[in-house]
Amino acid sequence: MSAAASDSILGRNLRRFRRDRASLAWGVVFALFLLAAIFAPLLAPHDPAAGSLLRRLQPPGWMEDGEWAYPLGCDALGRDILSRLLHGARVSISIGVVVALVASCFGTTLGLLAGLAGGVVDAVISRIVDVLFAFPLLIFAIGLMGMMGPGLLNIILALVLKDWVITCRLVRGQTLDVRDKEYVEAAVAVGASRWHVMTREILPNILSPVIVVATIRMATIIMTEASLSFLGIGVQPPTPAWGSMIADGRGFMMDAWWVSTFPGLAIFLLVLSVNLTSQGLRDAFDPRLAR
């Protein structure tokens, strides 16, 4: 299949996605989160790490000099919750995007190799995938973080080492199906290299489900990162993270509900926007639902 035809298919799928008003609306919500994360230093009214016991557990809407200086209130250390939410969005979204991208690239490469090479290569990759599938993502990440220690890079590594298997299994199955198509057999017949067959004939035709799965996995990755930070083995202070913000406020739920509630709502809305956007992408990229 030519590159022009692949572009036409991609454009047609994106047009179907734009016609899904609900998914498009949630895509806009995700885009707002993304913009807030990118421009957090400009949007945040205060330093997210600057605290003062004079502002300890101040409620939402607290004013200074006649202005709404702390619209979402302050936490137990007097730090501005709004500023910490904005900077925490950078952590959650960056981890979600990086892990989904790296895991998708790694899983796609191994899935293509397994599907095309077959034999021993396929057997070895498939057995590794089967073993890793036996471990739930959160349990696997907790075990690795316990060995490697907390930190942003360690979180990314721990999540990538488990998450690539989803894409790998998908791509292997797609490759086994596509490799018997006429255009692939024609490329092989004229002497095309295995690299050419893999990157020019097979990959463009299986890229759509890979994109959809990567988008869906972002929500799970964000939730897992928040869980690790909540447990204290994820992103470490003073870097703000939504999971650790919820953990900081769990002891004040009766007296200062806002400390945990706002980061919890942020996680809820971000994950919901990713899930519903990915659902729209799945429907748009599924040829069985073409209309």
Side-chain angles (χ1 to χ4, degrees), residues 59-142:
W62 193 52
M63 304 181 69
E64 274 188 357
D65 300 327
E67 298 181 355
W68 290 67
Y70 302 94
L72 299 185
C74 301
D75 63 11
L77 297 179
R79 297 172 297 191
D80 178 40
I81 291 178
L82 175 59
S83 300
R84 292 178 62 77
L85 280 178
L86 291 170
H87 284 268
R90 310 188 92 186
V91 173
S92 295
I93 294 178
S94 61
I95 289 178
V97 171
V98 170
V99 171
L101 180 62
V102 174
S104 296
C105 291
F106 189 58
T108 299
T109 302
L110 291 183
L112 284 170
L113 289 175
L116 278 178
V120 176
V121 175
D122 185 19
V124 170
I125 294 176
S126 296
R127 296 298 78 75
I128 294 174
V129 169
D130 291 340
V131 170
L132 290 176
F133 254 113
F135 297 93
L137 177 59
L138 182 58
I139 302 301
F140 184 85
I142 289 174

Side-chain angles (χ1 to χ4, degrees), residues 5 11 18 22 49 72 75 89 139 164-165 188 203 209 232 243-245 261-262 266:
R18 288 197 296 268
L72 299 185
D75 63 11
I139 302 301
W164 66 271
V165 298
V188 174
L203 183 59
S244 58
M245 291 175 66
T261 299
F262 288 123

Side-chain angles (χ1 to χ4, degrees), residues 9-10 13 104 108 166-167 170-171 173-175 178 202-217 278 281-282 284-287:
I9 292 174
L10 180 61
N13 291 339
S104 296
T108 299
I166 308 288
T167 304
L170 169 70
V171 171
Q174 293 286 320
T175 302
V178 171
I202 296 180
L203 183 59
N205 292 284
I206 65 173
L207 202 56
S208 294
V210 172
I211 294 173
V212 173
V213 167
T215 308
I216 293 172
R217 295 303 300 168
S278 62
L281 287 173
R282 182 197 62 195
F285 281 80
D286 190 339

Side-chain angles (χ1 to χ4, degrees), residues 180-278:
D180 296 326
K181 300 295 185 182
E182 292 79 3
Y183 55 87
V184 177
E185 293 178 347
V188 174
V190 299
S193 65
R194 179 168 291 184
W195 174 257
H196 174 89
V197 171
M198 184 170 65
T199 59
R200 302 290 295 177
E201 305 296 336
I202 296 180
L203 183 59
N205 292 284
I206 65 173
L207 202 56
S208 294
V210 172
I211 294 173
V212 173
V213 167
T215 308
I216 293 172
R217 295 303 300 168
M218 271 188 61
T220 302
I221 293 164
I222 291 170
M223 285 292 295
T224 305
E225 179 277 321
S227 300
L228 293 173
S229 297
F230 178 85
L231 295 172
I233 56 176
V235 178
Q236 297 297 292
T239 304
W242 290 347
S244 58
M245 291 175 66
I246 295 175
D248 292 341
R250 59 184 169 176
F252 308 101
M253 284 300 297
M254 300 303 296
D255 302 318
W257 54 268
W258 54 89
V259 179
S260 289
T261 299
F262 288 123
L265 285 174
I267 294 174
F268 171 76
L269 289 174
L270 177 58
V271 170
L272 186 63
S273 67
V274 173
N275 274 329
L276 294 181
T277 303
S278 62

